[in-house]
Amino acid sequence: MQTAKQSAKQIIDQVSDQASWDDIMYELYVKQKIEKGLKAVEDGFTVPHEEAKKRLLGNAD
């Protein structure tokens, strides 16, 4: 598993040479969110689809 620094370097190396600071920050943000979501799944912090619909829509169908 890569460290955060290694992942950041890899992302920076992959973006276009014309990438702005905002472009780079966005790519880093997306990578962080994906890793956080995968960790949540791994740790069992998920909600079944039907339960999520009930919570969001406020109905008990």
Side-chain angles (χ1 to χ4, degrees), residues 37 39-47:
K39 177 83 168 103
V41 169
E42 182 181 306
D43 293 344
F45 295 112
T46 59
V47 176

Side-chain angles (χ1 to χ4, degrees), residues 7-43:
S7 292
K9 283 182 177 182
Q10 184 179 19
I11 288 169
I12 290 169
D13 287 341
Q14 290 176 349
V15 296
S16 166
D17 287 342
Q18 289 75 38
S20 68
W21 281 104
D22 287 338
D23 296 334
I24 295 168
M25 294 301 293
Y26 175 76
E27 294 294 330
L28 293 170
Y29 172 80
V30 169
K31 173 74 171 174
Q32 178 191 31
K33 291 299 183 178
I34 290 170
E35 287 186 3
K36 186 175 180 179
L38 291 173
K39 177 83 168 103
V41 169
E42 182 181 306
D43 293 344

